Amino acid sequence: MNRAVIPLLLMALSGCRAVGPDYARPQSALPESWGEQAGGGALPVAWWSIFNDVPLSQLVQRVAAGNLDLQLATARLQQSRALLGVTEAALMPDLSLDGAYQRQRATSVGSMDPSGNGGEADYNLWRGGFSAAWELDMWGKLRRASESARAGFAASQENRRALLTSVTAEVASDYLRLRATQQQLAVAQENRATALRTLQLTQSRYQSGAGNELDIDQAQVQLAQVDALLPTLADRQERLINAIGLLLGERPGALNAMLSPPGPLPTLARAVPMGVPSDLALRRPDIREAAERLHQATAEIGVATADYYPRITLTGNAGYQALALSDMGSWSTHTFAIGPVLYLPLFDGGKITQRVRLSEYRQQEMAIAYQQTVLRAWHEIDDALSGYRAQQRRQTHLAEALA
């Protein structure tokens, strides 16, 4: 027995290679034109700062603390962190102290009575001591489980970053639409004043005999059309303020004092720095999250595969056991046990095999999901760059028209 167990222990303590495939992030061929600079330097992390708008920056700063979706993502991230701690703790020995007292009686015709009463009387049994157990990670099952948990934690981090990016962009977009609506509302109010003045002038001309009723009707129609536009713009302004408030976790109307007063429409004093498209793709948290999910699924194959192999757990305990509390602690009442526990699977009806296949199919699913995420990201980046260039050309023509 010693000759069989000792080599296994030495092999386990020497650190065997973990079973299962090692993760390697898949490489994808980027579009050929993506090695070119799209314009300017790299886009700053705090991209909203390029607008130089104080209220916008204040709103963005409040998003992380107030948005409820982000709070949910933070809670899931904390769960992943706790799960990682539980998984990595399995690599360490378990140490414990225990104690017990029992009032019991043995059978007179069965097992031995430690009290010496032959099962004819009750007796006390006091017990206390120290125990330890440590599963040797011979095939890397625990290491693969820890690797999987670390990848899951990293994926949760990227998920929260992706959500923060999305919510921040939505706040900025709603804020820009709000300021544009307020500008349109100001223009509509000026148009109303002009239409009202035109109606008054038309009525004066009619009264002096220089006009007709048709001119008055047309002036009244123009004034009514402008009046019909004002409620729509006012409603849009309130809806946008409420939409920003919802993103910040605020009740309806909480941001009216801050956002209802009209403000200037933020403009860019320079071209937006876009950087290299391939760098933009690498910075996307959704791609990094998909890669970590694939990493997690790959590590789970090793966890399942390790069940094919034997497991050895080192156990030991030492303590005292006595019939009287006063005898606890004496050398004559001490007990101990130490030695390995070997587990070797022989037949399970194919459960291990099916768990390995399940893990492999999940890895295939995550690999396809990664490819899908990357491809969708490439299209989104390419569409955004194309739209940005088109808007730049449109802006140039509109400036010429204005001049």
Side-chain angles (χ1 to χ4, degrees), residues 249-366:
E250 299 285 354
R251 58 176 176 79
L255 299 178
N256 285 345
M258 177 183 181
L259 298 179
S260 289
L265 179 65
T267 57
L268 296 174
R270 53 185 172 84
V272 176
M274 303 300 293
V276 180
S278 57
D279 292 338
L280 292 176
L282 293 176
R283 290 175 57 178
R284 286 180 62 116
D286 57 341
I287 293 180
R288 296 200 297 266
E289 179 188 358
E292 294 297 341
R293 296 297 182 193
L294 177 58
H295 187 179
Q296 183 180 20
T298 303
E300 287 296 327
I301 297 177
V303 175
T305 304
D307 285 337
Y308 281 122
Y309 302 94
R311 293 199 301 267
I312 294 180
T313 303
L314 301 182
T315 62
N317 63 76
Y320 299 92
Q321 181 172 302
L323 299 177
L325 181 60
S326 59
D327 293 333
M328 292 289 287
S330 64
W331 181 254
S332 60
T333 62
H334 85 283
T335 63
F336 82 93
I338 186 171
V341 176
L342 175 65
Y343 167 80
L344 179 62
L346 296 178
F347 177 76
D348 64 355
K351 287 187 294 185
I352 297 178
T353 300
Q354 295 305 321
R355 281 198 293 264
V356 172
R357 289 178 179 174
L358 177 62
S359 300
E360 292 173 343
Y361 294 148
R362 285 175 176 169
Q363 185 205 34
Q364 294 176 13
E365 178 189 359
M366 292 300 102

Side-chain angles (χ1 to χ4, degrees), residues 96-355:
S96 62
L97 289 173
D98 63 272
Y101 162 75
Q102 290 178 319
R103 180 69 175 174
Q104 59 187 36
R105 183 170 182 166
T107 175
S108 60
V109 296
S111 59
M112 181 180 63
D113 186 349
S115 68
N117 297 325
E120 300 296 333
D122 301 341
Y123 63 93
N124 298 322
L125 183 63
W126 299 85
R127 185 175 65 252
F130 165 86
S131 61
W134 183 28
E135 181 179 346
L136 300 180
D137 193 21
M138 298 175 58
W139 316 108
K141 177 178 181 178
L142 301 180
R143 280 171 284 161
R144 289 300 191 192
S146 177
E147 179 184 355
S148 174
R150 286 195 301 270
F153 175 64
S156 296
Q157 287 181 309
E158 298 300 342
N159 176 266
R160 187 184 182 281
R161 290 192 184 104
L163 184 58
L164 177 60
T165 301
S166 177
V167 172
T168 301
E170 194 170 353
V171 168
S173 179
D174 286 346
Y175 178 80
L176 294 174
R177 285 200 292 266
L178 171 64
R179 292 311 188 196
T181 299
Q182 290 175 337
Q183 294 292 322
Q184 292 175 326
L185 187 58
V187 171
Q189 291 170 342
E190 293 176 0
N191 289 343
R192 185 187 187 284
T194 300
L196 180 60
R197 180 59 179 163
T198 299
L199 175 60
Q200 293 172 346
L201 292 174
T202 303
Q203 290 174 338
S204 297
R205 294 182 64 216
Y206 175 75
Q207 293 173 356
S208 62
N212 54 56
E213 293 183 357
L214 180 60
D215 294 334
I216 295 177
D217 290 341
Q218 291 176 339
Q220 289 176 336
V221 167
Q222 185 177 9
L223 177 60
Q225 288 175 339
V226 175
D227 284 338
L229 181 61
L230 290 174
T232 301
L233 293 175
D235 176 65
R236 185 187 304 170
Q237 174 181 267
E238 293 301 318
R239 288 178 178 271
L240 287 171
I241 292 176
N242 281 337
I244 296 173
L246 178 60
L247 291 172
L248 268 61
E250 299 285 354
R251 58 176 176 79
L255 299 178
N256 285 345
M258 177 183 181
L259 298 179
S260 289
L265 179 65
T267 57
L268 296 174
R270 53 185 172 84
V272 176
M274 303 300 293
V276 180
S278 57
D279 292 338
L280 292 176
L282 293 176
R283 290 175 57 178
R284 286 180 62 116
D286 57 341
I287 293 180
R288 296 200 297 266
E289 179 188 358
E292 294 297 341
R293 296 297 182 193
L294 177 58
H295 187 179
Q296 183 180 20
T298 303
E300 287 296 327
I301 297 177
V303 175
T305 304
D307 285 337
Y308 281 122
Y309 302 94
R311 293 199 301 267
I312 294 180
T313 303
L314 301 182
T315 62
N317 63 76
Y320 299 92
Q321 181 172 302
L323 299 177
L325 181 60
S326 59
D327 293 333
M328 292 289 287
S330 64
W331 181 254
S332 60
T333 62
H334 85 283
T335 63
F336 82 93
I338 186 171
V341 176
L342 175 65
Y343 167 80
L344 179 62
L346 296 178
F347 177 76
D348 64 355
K351 287 187 294 185
I352 297 178
T353 300
Q354 295 305 321
R355 281 198 293 264

